[in-house]
Amino acid sequence: MSAFPSAQGWARSMDNDDEGFIFQNQSRSISASAGAKGGVGLAALSGGVEGRAQKTRYREYNSARAFVHLNAEKLQHGSRRDTLGISARTAVGALIRLFRPGHGNELKHYHRLQQQAADQQQRLGVLQGWLGQRDASAALPGGKAPVVPSGDVVSLKGGANVRAAAAGVSAGAAVSVERIDIHADSLTPYWQALSAPEGAARNAAVAAQRVAGIEQKAQSLFDAAGERPGTRPLSRLTGGIPLRECPPDVLSKAAERLGAELDHFCAVAQQLDAGVGRRQGGDLVEKSILSSWRGKRREDALANMVLAHGALLVAARASNDAGEAERALRDMADKLYSPPIRHDAEALSKRVAFRDTLELQIRNRSYALDLGGGIGPFGAKVEASLTEQHRDHLNPVRAGDYKDVRLTLSGSLGDAGALGKLKDALASQLAPHGLADALPAALAGMETALTGQLGAGATLLLRFYRPQYQGQADFPQDAAGFRLQLARVVASGDASVNLSGGVPLQPGVSLELGLSAGGSAATVLHERWGDNTLSAPMMHYLHLQGVGESERWQGIADRQQASLGGLFRQLADGGSAVRKEAEYFLRRQPQDGFGERFFGAMREFAAGRLGFDAARERLDELMQRQLPLWQADKLAFPGLVERPLQA
């Protein structure tokens, strides 16, 4: 019996999911295990239990494109040689880099040229302003860093395993359970919450606290006792009238003044960002504007503008006749919360939003069986596993129950006697010279080992999915159940080399050296969606629409043409499960006759009278019509915990 009370670990990693989200992770873990082993003759039996607790802090990117875009600022600090892992170590190269830091860095040169072009655009905008034309140029690239969502993942896992081995063949079984709790940070801008039909929050008490908090914080923007009238910004906008007492015309004028001050501030900041007007006192003008809005930095002034905007919006909504002011405030919201000037977007977003927490949960239960054996350096293994998963998620086409069936075939080739073979080969070369007998004496006392291993495998994944929306009262129960969502074949390979050696220095003391290197890779050889459920195409299509990468759908659909063709034929069958699933979605959409046109197109395709592209256009239209309902379902997710406004 052996036990290992605990082990701690720390890791950095990156991973991605089926929809293309990319996660950068930093995790800490602690694990404990215990095991027992026994045997008779050539047979051995072993078993054990283990447990692990892990906490991960992650940053989430909605696609690979977003990851590259948001990390471009970091990538431009390294040259192409650095990116490829090839460094110039010459003295000349070092001198060139010393005097020209961007040498060899194409991305940095590209960024510099892009910035110069944007600056020229801004200068043209300033010139047009002098000529009496409004500057409508876009924001400078690189002027702000988009906010990347982050959160915490807490995982608790326990498992047990048993293994039997005899005559070079082994078999094992394992079972494990895991619970994963995800707490994601969520920021809701003031204006979005205050403009929502249900109020500042779904919970009435939280909504009332948020509105009161906005009004209370806005008091700091009104003149204090003894100050000169109009010293602070909200008093300047409203003429000193308290917000609750402002008539509709005063609120409208205050909204116009706020918009004018925002435009003036952005125009001055854009000139400075483009390198125009600094010598003419533009920086002094900016400092004056910042001071008038009780700030020292741009983020301070913008945050107070947002606070004034929110307080005016609360007052406008409380007044039944202030619709004009409310419309003006909504029109300027996008520019106010994402101004076209250089600023710290992450710092600003945290100051102008209500903080919510998105609580998700995943529960896994896995069973695995494996059988393996080896002859000499060759080994082979076959493993079958079943993973049952329940997922609570805000995305309606990802929430539900899964059953993943995996079948893995793998092989390995290992060699631990490479150094011995090297010594024999060297001895055969030295023998004609009469030096072979001296070789063992020269290597006496050295203990060395060189091991290498190659491995390769293929995994077949069959994923069955029962969406959570099947539990709705209006979903047809005869169509409910697990359906094949996808079948995927993944090939993987790995290689590793380990070199270790010991050199005795004196009795009882030796120098131990070691070196190891390795790598692994995996690729998807084949993937086909199931043809009796809409979950796979809808998951990808809605995600791409949500992150602004709809152009990628064409390539995905082309690769899945065979499975989508089968889906269209199933939709033409009135008794199929996917037909009833489509009818469920269509009942929630506007009733304008689209359902008849949709199923008519599917029947035409099944009869061979309609092409694939035309049928796919109808499917795209169905999913596009579902998009606003999908977004509304995400906003109604019960796991979104609303927090009161922080002081």
Side-chain angles (χ1 to χ4, degrees):
M1 179 77 178
S2 61
F4 305 92
S6 66
Q8 297 187 11
W10 179 87
R12 295 174 64 95
S13 63
M14 290 184 61
D15 57 39
N16 66 287
D17 63 11
D18 286 329
E19 287 180 285
F21 281 90
I22 289 182
F23 304 90
Q24 284 183 314
N25 307 314
Q26 293 185 12
S27 61
R28 289 179 172 85
S29 64
I30 183 171
S31 60
S33 61
K37 184 177 181 179
V40 177
L42 298 177
L45 181 65
S46 62
V49 294
E50 60 180 352
R52 186 196 67 190
Q54 178 173 295
K55 183 175 182 179
T56 302
R57 182 70 179 174
Y58 71 88
R59 294 176 71 84
E60 175 187 290
Y61 302 83
N62 57 30
S63 68
R65 180 182 301 176
F67 173 78
V68 172
H69 174 71
L70 298 181
N71 284 276
E73 192 72 22
K74 298 178 183 178
L75 294 174
Q76 70 175 337
H77 295 305
S79 69
R80 182 175 61 179
R81 286 173 175 160
D82 293 336
T83 304
L84 296 176
I86 305 172
S87 300
R89 300 298 183 185
T90 63
V92 176
L95 287 174
I96 292 176
R97 289 192 180 193
L98 178 63
F99 293 104
R100 294 188 60 195
H103 176 71
N105 189 333
E106 292 84 353
L107 184 58
K108 194 163 191 175
H109 288 308
Y110 172 76
H111 182 84
R112 176 175 54 80
L113 293 173
Q114 188 183 39
Q115 189 67 58
Q116 288 177 354
D119 290 345
Q120 292 291 344
Q121 180 188 12
Q122 293 290 10
R123 293 188 182 99
L124 177 60
V126 173
L127 176 61
Q128 290 175 341
W130 289 340
L131 297 176
Q133 299 182 25
R134 185 179 180 87
D135 176 19
S137 57
L140 292 175
K144 57 182 180 179
V147 181
V148 179
S150 61
D152 294 300
V153 180
V154 177
S155 169
L156 300 175
K157 184 176 182 178
N161 63 84
V162 61
R163 177 166 296 279
V169 178
S170 65
V175 60
S176 65
V177 293
E178 182 177 18
R179 171 170 168 161
I180 303 172
D181 291 291
I182 305 170
H183 299 274
D185 303 328
S186 178
L187 299 176
T188 304
Y190 291 157
W191 81 273
Q192 288 186 5
L194 295 173
S195 302
E198 63 272 15
R202 293 178 297 184
N203 182 283
V206 175
Q209 189 278 338
R210 287 180 169 181
V211 171
I214 289 287
E215 293 177 322
Q216 182 179 0
K217 292 178 70 173
Q219 290 301 314
S220 64
L221 303 180
F222 276 99
D223 292 339
E227 283 187 322
R228 181 170 55 86
T231 301
R232 301 197 182 187
L234 260 180
S235 293
R236 185 170 67 246
L237 297 179
T238 65
I241 304 175
L243 288 175
R244 288 290 185 178
E245 301 174 10
C246 285
D249 59 332
V250 173
L251 289 175
S252 296
K253 290 180 180 178
E256 292 177 3
R257 291 168 182 161
L258 177 61
E261 293 203 20
L262 174 63
D263 289 341
H264 182 214
F265 176 46
C266 289
V268 172
Q270 283 180 343
Q271 291 183 33
L272 295 175
D273 291 344
V276 177
R278 189 172 300 276
R279 294 182 179 179
Q280 289 74 29
D283 53 345
L284 297 178
V285 176
E286 183 183 40
K287 288 181 181 178
S288 176
I289 297 174
L290 296 179
S291 177
S292 72
W293 279 94
R294 323 296 292 180
K296 295 182 179 180
R297 301 178 304 165
R298 290 182 178 181
E299 293 78 21
D300 300 331
L302 290 169
N304 284 333
M305 286 184 178
V306 168
L307 184 58
H309 179 272
L312 289 171
L313 189 56
V314 169
R317 297 206 71 183
S319 174
N320 295 327
D321 300 325
E324 184 177 348
E326 188 173 352
R327 283 191 295 273
L329 292 168
R330 289 186 181 181
D331 290 342
M332 76 177 75
D334 287 337
K335 184 175 183 180
L336 179 58
Y337 281 79
S338 183
I341 60 177
R342 296 179 186 174
H343 66 284
D344 187 340
E346 186 169 5
L348 178 63
S349 66
K350 293 179 179 179
R351 297 177 60 178
V352 299
F354 298 116
R355 293 175 178 269
D356 300 327
T357 301
L358 191 62
E359 296 184 351
L360 313 175
Q361 188 180 95
I362 299 174
R363 298 192 298 273
N364 288 327
R365 185 170 53 201
S366 298
Y367 312 89
L369 296 172
D370 68 82
L371 178 66
I375 301 176
F378 299 97
K381 183 178 181 181
V382 57
E383 180 178 5
S385 67
L386 169 65
T387 300
E388 298 177 332
Q389 182 181 99
H390 175 79
R391 177 177 294 180
D392 294 324
H393 203 280
L394 81 161
N395 187 342
V397 293
R398 295 192 70 189
D401 297 294
Y402 297 80
K403 291 182 184 290
D404 288 355
V405 178
R406 287 181 174 86
L407 179 64
T408 301
L409 299 173
S410 59
S412 62
L413 173 63
D415 190 356
L419 280 182
K421 296 176 182 177
L422 179 62
K423 187 178 72 171
D424 294 340
L426 184 60
S428 65
Q429 295 294 322
L430 295 176
H433 303 281
L435 301 176
D437 295 337
L439 182 62
L443 299 178
M446 294 183 61
E447 297 179 357
T448 57
L450 176 64
T451 61
Q453 183 151 350
L454 297 174
T459 300
L460 169 65
L461 167 65
L462 301 175
R463 172 164 293 171
F464 299 87
Y465 176 40
R466 182 176 62 191
Q468 201 170 60
Y469 58 74
Q470 290 188 0
Q472 299 292 328
D474 56 341
F475 190 89
Q477 291 305 304
D478 56 343
F482 287 92
R483 307 292 173 192
L484 178 65
Q485 187 185 48
L486 61 87
R488 178 185 297 159
V489 178
V490 179
S492 59
D494 60 83
S496 63
V497 177
N498 297 278
L499 174 64
S500 61
V503 180
L505 302 179
Q506 62 182 19
V509 179
S510 63
L511 177 64
E512 302 288 338
L513 300 174
L515 177 66
S516 62
S520 62
T523 183
V524 177
L525 298 180
H526 173 74
E527 179 171 309
R528 175 164 176 161
W529 296 340
D531 58 12
N532 204 18
T533 176
L534 287 169
S535 62
M538 192 167 281
M539 179 180 72
H540 287 277
Y541 182 89
L542 295 176
H543 167 69
L544 293 174
Q545 291 286 331
V547 302
E549 296 185 15
S550 56
E551 69 279 0
R552 291 179 51 209
W553 169 247
Q554 178 70 48
I556 294 175
D558 289 343
R559 292 192 296 271
Q560 294 294 329
Q561 183 168 345
S563 61
L564 290 176
L567 174 66
F568 299 155
R569 285 184 283 272
Q570 290 276 16
L571 287 167
D573 181 2
S576 66
V578 70
R579 168 69 175 252
K580 297 174 182 178
E581 184 182 39
E583 291 172 348
Y584 162 77
F585 287 119
L586 288 167
R587 282 195 298 271
R588 301 183 66 203
Q589 296 176 4
Q591 301 303 305
D592 54 3
F594 172 73
E596 290 78 2
R597 298 194 300 274
F598 174 77
F599 289 121
M602 298 301 110
R603 289 191 294 269
E604 290 291 306
F605 175 84
R609 294 188 293 269
L610 188 68
F612 173 82
D613 291 337
R616 210 206 77 202
E617 288 178 4
R618 286 287 180 263
L619 176 65
D620 292 356
E621 188 175 353
L622 168 70
M623 296 188 292
Q624 184 65 38
R625 292 161 61 94
Q626 186 64 25
L627 179 61
L629 300 173
W630 173 74
Q631 293 170 330
D633 288 340
K634 292 172 67 176
L635 293 175
F637 177 62
L640 182 64
V641 180
E642 298 163 326
R643 307 293 183 189
L645 178 64
Q646 298 179 354

